[in-house]
Amino acid sequence: QVQLVESGGGLVQAGGSLRLSCTASGGTFRNYAMGWFRQAPGKEREFVAAVSGSAITTHYADSVKGRFTISRDNAKNTVYLQMNSLKPEDTAVYFCAAGPIVSYSGSRYPYWGQGTQVTVSS
């Protein structure tokens, strides 16, 4: 069983930056692909970014390409999401997830964190 804990959310002005962290325990971290998803009020959960266990492969949603960067430190059991040039439409609860393969689909990730709120003011 893998436990995931996110941190780093907060309130930031449009154009600003935040870095989210997600630390895992209870499993062999490098064996898991890691994903970030987000859910805004009244909207469906959506894919943001994902990285393979080896960090060789990354994927991004079109809406965040060029602004967000996913990375991982397997020695620290931690995955990061660096978010730059933030926009009000990035406001959401951000979740990290762990699964066997890199996927855009949340259903392919059996393990989830509790989420961290990101609010971008205009």
Side-chain angles (χ1 to χ4, degrees), residues 6-74:
E6 301 98 335
S7 61
L11 174 64
V12 64
Q13 288 189 330
S17 298
L18 282 175
R19 188 176 81 155
L20 305 183
S21 300
C22 172
T23 300
S25 60
T28 303
F29 185 66
R30 65 181 179 275
N31 289 347
Y32 291 94
M34 299 297 296
W36 285 98
F37 293 76
R38 66 187 182 186
Q39 187 167 21
K43 293 189 176 181
E44 296 284 321
R45 181 180 64 193
E46 65 174 358
F47 170 79
V48 176
V51 60
S52 62
S54 62
I56 291 175
T57 302
T58 57
H59 292 290
Y60 295 93
D62 288 343
S63 59
V64 306
K65 278 181 183 175
R67 300 189 299 122
F68 290 11
T69 302
I70 189 170
S71 62
R72 65 190 295 160
D73 185 339
N74 286 345

Side-chain angles (χ1 to χ4, degrees), residues 77-94:
N77 287 0
T78 300
V79 62
Y80 304 98
L81 186 68
Q82 178 67 43
M83 305 185 294
N84 298 329
S85 301
L86 282 161
K87 305 174 180 180
E89 51 264 43
D90 294 318
T91 295
V93 178
Y94 284 70

